[in-house]
Amino acid sequence: MAKKKVAIVGFGGQGNWHGQKILKNNVVDLVGIYDIRPVRMEYAKEQGIHTYESYEDMLAGEADIIVVATPNDSHKDLCVRALRAGKHVICEKPVTMSVEEFDEIVQTANETGKVFEVHQNRRWDTDFLLMKDMIETERIGKPLFLGSYVQGSRGIPGDWRCEKQHGGGMMLDWGVHLIDQMLLLVDSPINSLYCITTNYTNSEVDDGFKLFLHFANGVVGYVEVGTYNFITNNRFYGQFEQGTAQIMGWNDSIRVRQCTNWGEGDAHPVQTASGITKTMAPRSDATVNEFTIAPSPSDVHDFYRNFVDAIEGKAQKRIADSEVRRVLLVMQSALTSAAENRVVTFSPAL
Ligand code: NAD
C-alpha cells in the first residue's frame, strides 16, 4: 500500500520534531506544513519542505493525515476542521483545554469515520518502560508507592506556556505526560486526589505541582513537576512489597534493592550529631540483593506505524480515547484541588 501523506499545522518546536522524525523514519511521507508565523514558513522552505498558503489550502490538499502541533487552545478547532475535511488527525498533547472539547473531537471522528489519536509520546520513554516492566513482572512484588518526578530550573519557557488563555502551565504541559504514565502503571481506579500547585516564577499559571493519587487498590501515586529545582530528584522512585526501585534520570537503568531477610538481627545504630537511631540504620549487604537493569531501546516512531495500521484497520490505536479522557479529568480535578485546597474524592472511583 502507498505510504500515507502527512501535513503538519504549527511548525514550531514540536511541529519541527514531527517533521524531522517523519523525514528520518520514512514510515509516512511529509507533504507540507503550515504556520501562521512567516519565519517558520521560511524555515520550512529552507529545509526543502513544501508550505501551504493557509490551513484551508492544507485541508484541500493531498494529505491523508494532519498533525496538529499548535498551542493548546487551538487544538480543538483545528482537529474538528481537519476531520470534517476528511483527514485522519494526530493531535499534540494536552489534546484540549477541557473534557467537553475533547468529547466534541471524538464525536466528530466517530461521525466522519476518521482516525483521531493524541500524541502521548512519553509512553515510549525508556525510564517509564523500565518501571512498567518492574511492575508487570512483579520481580519485587506489587507496588505500594510510586513517585514520578520531572524537575528543571529554568521556569516556564517564555512563550504561550506562561499564558492561561493558551493552555499554559506545567499541569497541562508535563502533568499530562506523567499522569498518563501513572495511570498506565497502576491498574486501579482512583478514589481521591490532592494537589498543590506552585507559582515560584509565574503568577498566571502553575510552574509546577505536587499531586497525590489514592488508588482503590491501596497504591499511592505521587506526581511532581518543578521548574525551580536547582538540584533534582530521581525520575522514578517505587516502594514494592519486597524492596525499592529507583531510576535517576531519563535514560538511566533501574536500580533495585530487594529485601532478602526482613528480620535482620541487630542493626548497628547510626550516630548523628545529636543522637542515635537504629530505625534508620542502613541494611547490611547480607539482607538485600541489589541489581540494576538497563533500559531496552524504544522507537517512538512506533506511534506512526501503529497509526497507519489503525487507519488500515489492522490494529487498534495505541492511545485510547478513554485513557486520554481520564487523564483530562484527573488534571481538571487536580487543579480544582489546588485552587480550593481540598481533597477531591470520586464516587464512583475514577
Ligand atoms: P511552539 O510555540 O514552538 O510552536 C507552535 C507553532 O504553532 C508556532 O510556530 C505558531 O506560530 C504556530 N501556530 C499557532 N497557531 C497557529 C494556527 N492557528 N495555525 C498554524 N500555526 C499556528 O510550541 P511547541 O512547543 O511546538 O508546542 C506545540 C504543541 O506541541 C503544544 O500542544 C505542546 O504541548 C505540544 N508539545 C508536545 C511535546 C511532546 O513531547 N509531545 C513536546 C513539545 C510540545
Side-chain angles (χ1 to χ4, degrees), residues 8-18 33-41 54-55 58 68-75 78 81 91-95 118-122 125 157 159-161 166-167 172-174 176-177:
I8 302 169
V9 58
F11 202 60
Q14 188 62 5
N16 187 43
W17 182 90
H18 278 277
I33 68 102
Y34 170 65
D35 197 292
I36 48 170
R37 281 191 300 157
V39 62
R40 297 309 291 173
M41 297 282 267
S54 65
Y55 191 46
M58 177 186 273
V68 176
T70 55
N72 304 335
D73 57 322
S74 56
H75 290 177
L78 295 171
R81 285 170 67 190
C91 182
E92 264 307 335
K93 50 49 61 173
V95 60
V118 183
H119 189 237
Q120 291 291 160
N121 53 320
R122 298 252 165 225
D125 264 346
D159 53 16
W160 54 268
R161 282 178 178 78
H166 296 303
L172 289 177
D173 197 40
W174 267 100
V176 68
H177 285 304

Side-chain angles (χ1 to χ4, degrees), residues 24-310:
K24 186 165 165 237
N25 286 280
N26 219 15
V27 175
V28 287
D29 277 336
L30 182 64
V31 293
I33 68 102
Y34 170 65
D35 197 292
I36 48 170
R37 281 191 300 157
V39 62
R40 297 309 291 173
M41 297 282 267
E42 281 311 311
Y43 172 76
K45 282 179 194 155
E46 284 163 18
Q47 314 281 313
I49 298 170
H50 172 71
T51 55
Y52 292 96
E53 289 304 308
S54 65
Y55 191 46
E56 292 72 21
D57 191 20
M58 177 186 273
L59 294 185
E62 59 179 332
D64 306 295
I65 301 165
I66 303 294
V67 173
V68 176
T70 55
N72 304 335
D73 57 322
S74 56
H75 290 177
K76 196 267 286 180
D77 281 345
L78 295 171
C79 288
V80 167
R81 285 170 67 190
L83 290 164
R84 291 240 176 270
K87 309 293 188 186
H88 303 287
V89 176
I90 293 169
C91 182
E92 264 307 335
K93 50 49 61 173
V95 60
T96 50
M97 308 272 281
S98 71
V99 177
E100 294 71 24
E101 283 188 344
F102 176 64
D103 288 346
E104 190 180 330
I105 300 177
V106 172
Q107 195 186 329
T108 311
N110 291 339
E111 280 167 23
T112 56
K114 297 293 161 187
V115 179
F116 167 76
E117 191 170 8
V118 183
H119 189 237
Q120 291 291 160
N121 53 320
R122 298 252 165 225
R123 291 190 185 192
W124 279 267
D125 264 346
T126 56
D127 46 76
F128 162 68
L129 293 171
L130 268 178
M131 189 51 89
K132 190 160 177 283
D133 183 67
M134 186 56 51
I135 292 166
E136 285 171 358
T137 55
E138 295 191 15
R139 273 195 192 83
I140 51 171
K142 295 186 193 309
L144 308 168
F145 169 87
L146 286 173
S148 171
Y149 310 76
V150 163
Q151 298 169 327
S153 60
R154 298 172 185 283
I156 308 175
D159 53 16
W160 54 268
R161 282 178 178 78
C162 295
E163 294 162 13
K164 198 176 170 67
Q165 72 171 118
H166 296 303
M170 283 298 122
M171 175 63 75
L172 289 177
D173 197 40
W174 267 100
V176 68
H177 285 304
L178 301 195
I179 293 167
D180 181 58
Q181 291 180 342
M182 186 61 77
L183 300 194
L184 293 171
L185 293 177
V186 186
D187 184 16
S188 171
I190 303 164
N191 278 343
S192 63
L193 62 75
Y194 180 67
C195 182
I196 298 168
T197 49
T198 58
N199 294 94
Y200 301 132
T201 62
N202 182 294
S203 56
E204 189 170 329
V205 292
D206 72 286
D207 62 10
F209 65 88
K210 299 168 202 298
L211 167 65
F212 280 96
L213 296 163
H214 298 262
F215 290 92
N217 66 357
V219 174
V220 173
Y222 178 70
V223 178
E224 181 173 330
V225 173
T227 53
Y228 198 65
N229 301 71
F230 294 85
I231 298 174
T232 59
N233 218 326
N234 36 218
R235 172 68 191 88
F236 274 110
Y237 184 85
Q239 290 167 282
F240 289 75
E241 288 170 325
Q242 295 150 25
T244 306
Q246 182 182 38
I247 304 172
M248 289 311 292
W250 305 111
N251 304 310
D252 289 347
S253 298
I254 190 166
R255 174 188 175 211
V256 184
R257 292 200 104 198
Q258 180 175 25
C259 178
T260 52
N261 178 7
W262 169 247
E264 181 185 21
D266 269 348
H268 298 296
V270 178
Q271 304 280 348
T272 74
S274 59
I276 59 164
T277 172
K278 268 189 170 186
T279 313
M280 301 305 165
R283 286 240 156 215
S284 75
D285 288 347
T287 69
V288 286
N289 171 32
E290 178 157 343
F291 56 94
T292 57
I293 304 171
S296 301
S298 98
D299 183 1
V300 71
H301 223 71
D302 280 341
F303 177 90
Y304 275 96
R305 292 187 190 95
N306 168 258
F307 191 79
V308 170
D309 283 348

